[in-house]
Amino acid sequence: MVLLCALVGLCCLPPLGWMLWQVMAHARLVAQGAASTAMAGVLGRTLGYNLAAAALACLLAVPAAVVIGRGRGWLAGAILWISPLSLLFPSVVNTYGWNRALDLLAVRPAPGTAGDALRCIWAMATWLWALPALAGGLALRRMDSQEQLQAMLDGALWRITLRRLVGPMAAALAVVFVLAGQEFAVYEPTGISVVATEMRTIFQAGVVGGDWTVIAGISAQAQSSSDQAQRAAAAFGAALPLLILVMALAGGGVVLGRRFSEHPEIASGRWPSVLDAPAWTRWIGALLVSLSVVAPLAAMVASLKRPLEPARVLSTFWPHLAGSLSVGLAVGLVVALVGLVACLRPSRLLAGLSLAVFLCGGLLLGIATIRLYNRPALAPLYDGPSAIVMAQVARLAWLGLLVGAAAWAAPIRALREMAAADGAGPWQAAVHVVWPLAWPALAGVGVLAMVLTVTEVPTTVLLGPMRPPMLILPLMTWVHMQRSDDMIEGSLLLVAAVVVLGIALMILLRLGGRTLRAVRGPL
Amino acid sequence: MHKYLWLLPAVAGLLMSCNRPQEPANTVVVYTSVDEPVARPILAEFARRTGIKLEIRTDAEATKTAGLAALMEAERDHPRADVYWGNEPFYTSVLAAKGIFQPYVSPVAAEIPARFKDADGRWAGSALRVRVLAVTDQAPGAAAAAGVRRLSDLSNPAFKGRIAISRPTAGTVSGHVAALWEVLGEERARQLLTGWRANDMKLLGGNSEVSNQAGSGQIWAGLTDNDDVANTKAEGGKLSMVLPDQDPSDIGTLAFPCTVALLAKAPHASNGRKLVDYLLSGEVEKKLIDARYARYSVLAEDKLVKTMNVDYAKAAAQMPRAVAEATRILTGQ
């Protein structure tokens, strides 16, 4: 437990503490940012766009959710396993792919227009739609097939199905909304001003970017002092209203999630074929998977002006890819270690802390980390990759803690109890019973944390080290510059690496599922 | 459980060991706002010749130069960088005035005209870039925009909603706004920008985006840098580059050198001086011009283009106010 507290607490508490300190130490600056009428306009736009993206993502997800919940055959399997891939792409790559696709179709919305906003909303919805699809699909899988059969006889199957989908979809909508709110790479090039773009501009440039937000106080103070502390406080102030909303939404999401998980677990097994997802849902689901995963990639390949030579691409971008992978590996190992230790003793408090850091978003976390470690005494932490590793561990430790907590639930709990009855202590039970069963999940969460680190944009933009170099940083440069071949090749290489890691994750998940089923059988 | 407490320092050690305990002596760290694809091969050549290991930090378009300047200022007590290679002189002048750089008069800088280097030797510049008008060659904008020759032409109602500039909060546009304040005077500069605002000028996320939008015909004319137009053309964009305000009675366009400076308390000052000498050399200037990043040599600009007569340091001193005011005007606040 000490180790767990040290690992997670060391990474999570300082940034959260810094944010609280801002409220106390720079109360006036933060309040000005939070209460500014101009910033309210930016906030309104952010909420509108993110809500639209979340709603569109949920709408797109319904057919796929039905297929994931009640689909059979290779097509349903493909939808289940391929749809989450778009989630693993960096937002900047996904957006660039869609820009290329629209360009090929000669659809070029003028910057700052409604068409431009729609482009951003579409890019975000097709990036995140797999979340509601998976949430809805898994909810349907837990639905009693007898109840569905009865509903079918009553002619109410769709009504019952949609009712069952409402809870998880609403929770997923909240999650998509939160994730979309942390994005700036989608909006930045064409100058659309949202909270995330303003935060970045305030912190990095010392002035407010788009609509002259301000917040006269913030701009005056941030510019006149040109002090990083002032700019950080101003950026925090600009983010505060959205942050409060996100926390409230997260609370709602937790409540919804709990209600959702309160449904008795139904071992539905193989459902009767009359309940199979209709063919149209399978084909629409497949079309959406193709759109969200294949279309941006295909558009990028089609836009290449020079031949795609994998060996050249790999040798050109290898230092950056290796850097990204090594930072990701470090984060993945620590998150897996967190999960490993959490198998000994779970901690809701630590999971809550890490989740809070995650909800704050990568930008705010990056700003907090810079402010915490940018001092001579902490130069060893600030100057290299440790800062970003610690920040990403803070963001993602809850994943490990979640896996650790799952090792305290059925069916492993029953095995623990049997081991305890045989005289095994918690340590022996973990070493001899839990870890041998949970290792695929622990390895899987490590791989997931690795992927999320490699592809994360906001924290990497602020904390990306000079050595090892990370691939996201040049991508963020090239996306703005007219270097489309470099951007496309770098993006495709990153996607290839993510797909390889995604396959490893898929194998580990299947292995974990098989292990659990094997345990559940005799029990 | 307590016997495993040794893991705690081990984990801390693991995190710390991600970093080097000490910088290798034969290293030089450079922060640069010169576009990464242009800067990297030039810097790699320096590393190859000298055997000095290079670490490079570049920046992204949306907070171009401003982000790096803020970073250097924030790290002033324990700088990581030895050398700053900037893509304009305004932020460099601001940093010099704040004591971020140390004086170093490179022997290579002797030939550089005085207006392109700091009087106290804290920075010097080479390889001139220019602010240009990116004018679309795509119909229907091409015909309408064919007559654009001056910055004031962007206020022509025929282009309403079809003109763009990068946000003034970062990059070369900050310096351009400051230069307009310096050269035109506050009142005329305000009038110019108010005219643009009345013509519904778009504020984009970077100069390259301005050029990109002109190349695709979404905007008809925009204010950007020469290299952005060159890059867009290389990518197949259909646009022309117009040097604004070139008539005898005009103020000329803004020309600005790439700047090189040695940081105060640079951890590897000796290697840093070698890099400064290299970056100010005629060879590097030629490479920047060949790469179409820069347009003119600092030694020959006055023969080739009419440029604004601007004192970079004076313009830089009023840049925060000019940028704030310009942003306020252009966003209609």
Side-chain angles (χ1 to χ4, degrees), chain A residues 177-178 181-182 240-252 359-360:
Chain A
F177 178 85
V178 168
Q182 299 178 356
L240 194 57
L242 183 62
L243 194 59
I244 291 169
L245 192 70
V246 161
M247 292 300 173
L249 264 177
L359 292 170
C360 288

Side-chain angles (χ1 to χ4, degrees), chain A residues 6-7 108 110 188-189 191 204 208 210 212 223 226 228 305 374 380 382-386 427 464 467 480 482 484, chain B residues 4 8 15 19-20 55 57 61-63 66 70 73-75 78 80 98 167 169 205 208-209 218 235 320 331:
Chain A
L7 264 176
R108 300 184 184 100
E188 205 173 65
Q204 288 203 301
V208 186
W212 181 241
Q223 281 184 83
S226 70
Q228 195 181 53
K305 292 183 181 66
N374 179 20
Y382 178 68
D383 284 350
S386 294
W427 176 254
R467 193 163 18 145
H480 283 280
Q482 312 304 305
S484 62
Chain B
Y4 296 98
L8 192 59
L15 280 171
N19 303 318
R20 295 142 293 157
E55 290 192 15
R57 178 177 287 280
E61 187 84 353
T63 53
E73 203 180 334
E75 294 173 355
H78 55 106
R80 292 191 288 191
K98 288 180 177 174
R167 289 180 178 197
T169 46
S208 60
E209 193 62 29
Q218 288 305 311
E235 288 288 323
T331 54

Side-chain angles (χ1 to χ4, degrees), chain A residues 159-175:
Chain A
R159 189 161 51 83
I160 296 288
T161 302
L162 289 175
R163 197 163 65 192
R164 184 61 191 258
L165 282 176
V166 166
M169 283 293 199
L173 185 135
V175 174

